[in-house]
Amino acid sequence: MTSPCGNESRVLVINTGGTIGMTLHDNGYAPKANALVESLRKLPILHDELYAHQTCLYEYYQLQNTLVLPKPAAHVDLQFPRPSKLNKRIIYTILEYSPLLDSSNMTTDDWGRIGKDIEKNYENFDGFVILHGTDTMAYTASALSFMCENLGKPIVLTGSQVPIYELRNDGRDNLLGALLIAGQFVIPEVCLYFYNKLYRGNRVTKVDAGSFNAFNSPNLAPLATAEVDFKINWDTVWRANATAKFQVKTELNRNVGLLRLFPGITASTVRAFLQPPMQGVVLETYGSGNAPDNRPDLLEELSKATNSGVIIVNCTQCLRGTVSASYATGRVLMEAGLIAGGDMTPEAALSKLSYVLAKKDLTVDAQKKMMSQNLRGEMSADLEGAKLCLSDS
Amino acid sequence: MTSPCGNESRVLVINTGGTIGMTLHDNGYAPKANALVESLRKLPILHDELYAHQTCLYEYYQLQNTLVLPKPAAHVDLQFPRPSKLNKRIIYTILEYSPLLDSSNMTTDDWGRIGKDIEKNYENFDGFVILHGTDTMAYTASALSFMCENLGKPIVLTGSQVPIYELRNDGRDNLLGALLIAGQFVIPEVCLYFYNKLYRGNRVTKVDAGSFNAFNSPNLAPLATAEVDFKINWDTVWRANATAKFQVKTELNRNVGLLRLFPGITASTVRAFLQPPMQGVVLETYGSGNAPDNRPDLLEELSKATNSGVIIVNCTQCLRGTVSASYATGRVLMEAGLIAGGDMTPEAALSKLSYVLAKKDLTVDAQKKMMSQNLRGEMSADLEGAKLCLSDS
Amino acid sequence: MTSPCGNESRVLVINTGGTIGMTLHDNGYAPKANALVESLRKLPILHDELYAHQTCLYEYYQLQNTLVLPKPAAHVDLQFPRPSKLNKRIIYTILEYSPLLDSSNMTTDDWGRIGKDIEKNYENFDGFVILHGTDTMAYTASALSFMCENLGKPIVLTGSQVPIYELRNDGRDNLLGALLIAGQFVIPEVCLYFYNKLYRGNRVTKVDAGSFNAFNSPNLAPLATAEVDFKINWDTVWRANATAKFQVKTELNRNVGLLRLFPGITASTVRAFLQPPMQGVVLETYGSGNAPDNRPDLLEELSKATNSGVIIVNCTQCLRGTVSASYATGRVLMEAGLIAGGDMTPEAALSKLSYVLAKKDLTVDAQKKMMSQNLRGEMSADLEGAKLCLSDS
Amino acid sequence: MTSPCGNESRVLVINTGGTIGMTLHDNGYAPKANALVESLRKLPILHDELYAHQTCLYEYYQLQNTLVLPKPAAHVDLQFPRPSKLNKRIIYTILEYSPLLDSSNMTTDDWGRIGKDIEKNYENFDGFVILHGTDTMAYTASALSFMCENLGKPIVLTGSQVPIYELRNDGRDNLLGALLIAGQFVIPEVCLYFYNKLYRGNRVTKVDAGSFNAFNSPNLAPLATAEVDFKINWDTVWRANATAKFQVKTELNRNVGLLRLFPGITASTVRAFLQPPMQGVVLETYGSGNAPDNRPDLLEELSKATNSGVIIVNCTQCLRGTVSASYATGRVLMEAGLIAGGDMTPEAALSKLSYVLAKKDLTVDAQKKMMSQNLRGEMSADLEGAKLCLSDS
């Protein structure tokens, strides 16, 4: 599918909902159907109506929900000259969910739906932007990263802390930056773009409920920064080895959960949490993967669960850090059958469990092995090795 | 009780255990009884044997486990001249728990024991240092802050990421700094000192499992920094209004728990978690206190629990942020009877519940009210007001 | 002067030039006269044409260069309800310099001109925004802070790293934020607003040539942050004691300079720099105010200059830090007649010299004394005292 | 030269002076000859007297100024097992300068002397630690990086903000960390180690006069961090292409200087600064390399100087940033014959000039070319290229 005007790039924007498109409604914010595209059409920063008319954009695409970014000035950059490749027009089409979803309500079904929509439109677009509420964006980004196998195009999740209809808001800049990345760069990852930084999707966590700078990827440097210039850390960008065909695995196991240790947690609480139909649990432990070792009652509940086939992944409740299989003090949990989660975020570990447990052709042991392998850059593969490159002097 | 040598300050060090005093044992670290005091005695940085002999320190205190810090040079500071008050000798006595405790194993009973030991020794010392494992130090610091009513002396928790017996370690500097603060400054709070920063104890969380810079108080600036000089932020230091007598409340309710929301959490998981004897729960919600509002099954479980007298506090799972009672989108949880946790950490909210629920003379409503009040600087009292000081132009 | 529509606030925007208003011209950026106001009029974020017509804005003010910000939604804030006072309409009038100035070319004459324009319009506006190139914005902000005596209204300098005509730029948000602060808050200071932070003008320095986050005030926390909400640090906001009449002192001494020490600097270089007509010099020394003490030739040149009436201020070349009069190792410079600059930035010290040396009715000794006093919050007044609040235990 | 005990590594510590070894003297700090080695011998952290005796260390090396670090525990690391290679004993010999030097007094002669001492001892040691005052350490580190050609062993500069004799000080940890890096890792660079970070020497600048965290390398990430573990960024470590013989070029040109632009700088000041014998100047310009373009008098002075053979390098006065040759707005300075300094620090540019101008067999043009080339990792070689790796979609 070629655009009539040549030098263009196409991006599909899937608007699932979230603060970015909310409007005032009584005394609270609420999403409003079909409002976003109308609103963007009036913002000269995000739509060039003149170009749309000159190129018969609407007729060509037969879509009223297709917009076009203004031309980046064919400029001498203040710092560095940009090559013409960066001057492609970005044509973007908005696919809006009905009803719009509050991210607090998102479930594995919604992750699956987003995945299917990407798969269906994969060939027709150069990149994808997912508009999403911030509250569970880290979970969705993680899930999509596993679901998308052999991904060759950028999928960028974004949203905002303040609606795009407000006077001061972070929605304009977040959407604009996400579109430019999805349309201009070959970063074949599920990413999250927020406040001028691009993160790997399965590495992020929401760290601030009240700031524009809401996300962070505590165990991995950002993939890119976008201030005066886009600076891509190409060394960090993930490139799968396989050249196999892109596909989205939308089967996900719902029987997964997240349990945080706390002083005085009782065996009965743990037993209740681990009871069927639970099949996979992320246990958020202390420090580098520690749990009480003087609590046979607790450890027995964990052992019983792992023996009966529940996969339990040991992740730290610290923002930064690693749970290593070789670390002695977490031994009691290893003996209870837990898997070391490395430096995965709880969000990534949970959605990885959901993805891996849905692979019904695998044995539990094969699933466990998969959980401890680096599939999409969600964990630092060979951390010990990397840290101990030594001189041989 | 006056020292024979005049210008001295006395600090009680309660060594509960933790990495700071661990030694190598087979192929792992383990605590070793009575090793710490012997080891410190040989470190000229942390003990001045000559002074101890000259002043007959051991005879006077009749304690072999009493040490004395070297004299801070009566110097012209590189930056600022220090007054002589800072040149007091700090005499410290180590009270070691037997057996030494791994912080992963700490429970409300252990919090109570520490509290009792402080109360028993309160009059004889100018300040207190608690050596503690890092894994649950934030929980213990929070608990002690509530248990200690009308505190007038500094209680400083510290520990280390690497044992003090290792070549490179953070234990020496952490212990030295904690002793200097406890012995020199009137900061009548339960604090946590780590990597040259002093934090309010009920504001901290462990943010890094593998760095010396392991703690942070995300919603409050540090109380002090200790680099070339000690810089105390006196405006931030908490001063209780009451001048009532110091006492430690060691009755704590054990039936409290911490539950983190995640996409797809089931009503049965929530019900199981909230079942008796659970009496108080910190629910870690999304963003500014959000939960699914399209899940009547879930909300019903929460309502049933609050109706039956369980107190549920709404805290954010974000590192930074506030859950405000006036925020519209968390309304469904308010309607389900939850209490807004403001900017409390989950650690503070959990131990506050443990403290408040033990006040058996209070009605549930009075306990709920207490949970939403600022008792020890653990929450920003009047956040809205502070942010909306406006011009009257 | 009352607006016809009541609840309005008026801001004067003085556009001196700079990147924010530049357009592409051949193969470089250049300022373009009268372009900014035309451009802003087309940006719905920064101008509400409908309101302008409904209120006959242009007729009323008889000014084509007057614009009006859209109404901030009368909303329930996502976090906190905003009182109606924050919902004032901000009417802003653009006064554009002709020709537009590159900030690299700014001199004391231009500082004086800006000062005069503020003085002339002081009574008719509630606040002032100065658009300025980033390169010397810290110098101009410092100079204006001294020139404006008994200031009672906000003066906010801003600009951008990327022109407002570019697709991605920081100009829109910087201008919008500066207008909202100047029109809504009573912060009677010369400030600098950049990348969602408001700084005291005489504390800033440009720290990054290639990032949106270009400024910092290394020795003072920001006055405000503007992310989801405006958070004003009211404790830090400067309030002059005097209630005297506002006036702008536009006489400035041009014979001032900035000299950075470096290893191997020769006496002849110093002598050449200090030769008449030089009357005031900021010497950027090492660390806490150090200079070679084994260089009698160098020290003699400094002594000769101070003896002949040149005022030399000792500031550190470190980004953060203080040069204290009581610090022993800088003694040779004190003996050579230099004044300790405390924690002033070089930019503040230079413009303060320019301001103080123009007070011809003062003796050199009175001028020296003034240089070491805190006039506008440019230095931490009583740093030693503040740091040594001690317990009297 | 093999140690009698086998598994050892030898480090030469050159103590040039500085705060780290100062003692109180009257009412100020002053260096004291021969005090450091005696003091270290008594610190069990930094010397293992038992091992020294058992191995007849003093007899073997016939040196009273040779010490040995304690054995790093053959431990299971808390996080990762360390291989035995990291357990080498580090034997270090202290070469103390007499008199000890205040870093404010350091000149090119002193740089040369340090260089010669390294060259003389190069074969006998595995690594080098230079103790140095912090004030000009960034200048010395930069100079040594250029002087040392074909370096194959680590040279680590360090020092402290507080003397090692003080109760709380950063000297112990800085010295210990520097010794461990110099003795254990093959990082063939001139580095600077401070507050648990290892920086490339020619990238650092002193950013804080009053904090332990005194240094930063604003345009390059640290080479290593040393907290719970040493984490080396091996991708960043510089490796020269040449395998030629190590040599130290101690001829340095003294006629170099540093001039910072400021608003209102006069042509006569510039002329005076550039007068003979000045041969090389670092001009600290605004932002990305800007200077007034409406000042023909100023530009003429610069042109006259470059025409007469003075090499002038254009560096930014911002902490972070780059002066690019392709950047349009710095054009007037390029036309005046200045060389773009890229992202070099002023300290690196100054000492590079000193090194390059001493190569008398080179023409001025060859010297200019050398100044704009990346010799030792002091500038980001091909910044534009690196930032514009684009997709070819």
Side-chain angles (χ1 to χ4, degrees), chain A residues 78-81 83 85 88 184-186 229 231 234 288 326-327 383-384 387-393, chain D residues 78-81 83 85 88 184-186 229 231 234 288 326-327 383-384 387-391 393:
Chain A
L78 275 177
Q79 299 244 193
F80 302 103
K85 278 186 187 174
K88 277 190 181 180
Q184 289 182 326
F185 297 100
V186 176
D229 298 284
K231 297 185 195 173
W234 289 110
S288 297
S326 65
Y327 180 33
L383 201 53
E384 294 84 353
K387 289 171 66 181
L388 291 166
C389 279
L390 290 175
S391 73
D392 47 2
S393 65
Chain D
L78 275 177
Q79 298 244 194
F80 301 104
K85 279 187 187 174
K88 277 191 181 179
Q184 289 183 326
F185 297 100
V186 176
D229 298 284
K231 297 185 194 173
W234 288 109
S288 297
S326 65
Y327 180 33
L383 201 53
E384 294 86 351
K387 289 171 66 179
L388 292 166
C389 279
L390 290 174
S391 74
S393 67

Side-chain angles (χ1 to χ4, degrees), chain C residues 168-187:
Chain C
R168 282 185 71 247
N169 74 72
D170 54 336
R172 286 185 298 259
D173 282 346
N174 285 346
L175 175 54
L176 180 59
L179 285 168
L180 289 169
I181 287 169
Q184 289 183 327
F185 298 100
V186 176
I187 299 177

Side-chain angles (χ1 to χ4, degrees), chain A residues 130-350:
Chain A
I130 318 291
L131 297 182
H132 195 288
T134 58
D135 276 345
T136 65
M137 202 192 289
Y139 295 92
T140 304
S142 295
L144 287 173
S145 79
F146 297 109
M147 294 158 64
C148 293
E149 301 184 344
N150 312 307
L151 178 63
K153 297 180 176 181
I155 298 174
V156 185
L157 286 90
T158 196
S160 71
Q161 293 275 60
V162 174
I164 209 164
Y165 310 107
E166 289 282 312
L167 188 49
R168 282 185 71 246
N169 75 71
D170 54 335
R172 287 185 296 259
D173 282 347
N174 285 347
L175 175 55
L176 180 58
L179 285 168
L180 289 170
I181 286 169
Q184 289 182 326
F185 297 100
V186 176
I187 299 177
E189 295 210 34
V190 175
C191 314
L192 189 154
Y193 180 81
F194 223 85
Y195 202 55
N196 300 325
K197 292 218 171 61
L198 185 76
Y199 305 97
R200 176 168 299 155
N202 54 34
R203 290 292 198 153
V204 292
T205 192
K206 187 174 177 187
V207 290
D208 200 326
S211 161
F212 290 167
N213 195 13
F215 287 90
N216 201 344
S217 59
N219 290 319
L220 189 78
L223 300 178
T225 56
E227 302 206 4
V228 174
D229 298 284
F230 284 97
K231 297 185 195 173
I232 317 284
N233 297 326
W234 289 110
D235 289 344
T236 306
V237 172
W238 180 254
R239 295 182 188 283
N241 291 325
T243 54
K245 191 175 177 309
F246 171 72
Q247 59 180 334
V248 184
K249 287 284 165 68
T250 54
E251 311 83 55
L252 294 168
N253 188 312
R254 302 175 186 193
N255 301 317
V256 296
L258 204 58
L259 180 61
R260 178 175 164 166
L261 272 192
F262 53 87
I265 190 169
T266 62
S268 67
T269 292
V270 172
R271 181 172 52 244
F273 197 92
L274 292 173
Q275 73 199 0
M278 195 64 85
Q279 290 177 268
V281 168
V282 179
L283 187 70
E284 289 189 87
T285 56
Y286 305 129
S288 297
N290 301 323
D293 60 5
N294 68 348
R295 293 282 307 280
D297 59 336
L298 211 64
L299 296 169
E300 197 188 323
E301 293 299 335
L302 295 171
S303 289
K304 274 199 292 190
T306 58
N307 286 336
S308 72
V310 178
I311 300 183
I312 311 183
V313 182
N314 183 354
C315 286
T316 177
Q317 59 187 247
C318 296
L319 181 67
R320 273 180 295 275
T322 287
V323 174
S324 163
S326 65
Y327 180 33
T329 66
R331 213 180 306 154
V332 294
L333 291 182
M334 298 307 143
E335 286 165 9
L338 273 73
I339 295 167
D343 59 352
M344 280 193 288
T345 60
E347 291 91 337
L350 184 77

Side-chain angles (χ1 to χ4, degrees), chain A residues 39-52:
Chain A
S39 166
L40 295 178
R41 205 187 298 285
K42 289 175 203 144
L43 280 178
I45 302 163
L46 286 160
H47 178 59
D48 181 347
E49 184 67 20
L50 183 63
Y51 179 90

Side-chain angles (χ1 to χ4, degrees), chain C residues 326-382:
Chain C
S326 65
Y327 180 32
T329 65
R331 211 180 308 154
V332 295
L333 291 182
M334 299 306 144
E335 286 165 8
L338 273 72
I339 295 168
D343 60 353
M344 280 193 288
T345 61
E347 291 90 338
L350 184 78
S351 59
K352 188 175 176 180
L353 271 175
S354 201
Y355 166 75
V356 166
L357 285 169
K359 298 196 169 287
K360 287 168 193 159
D361 50 333
L362 295 183
T363 62
V364 170
D365 278 350
Q367 290 174 336
K368 283 187 174 178
K369 191 175 170 198
M370 205 169 182
M371 283 306 299
S372 64
Q373 287 172 330
N374 178 20
L375 302 181
R376 305 278 191 277
E378 77 278 7
M379 52 163 56
S380 298
D382 195 13

Side-chain angles (χ1 to χ4, degrees), chain A residues 89-106:
Chain A
R89 281 287 185 156
I90 292 174
I91 312 293
Y92 64 106
T93 300
I94 297 182
L95 170 63
E96 187 172 292
Y97 281 10
S98 174
L100 287 161
L101 304 170
D102 185 318
S103 85
S104 296
N105 291 330
M106 289 268 189

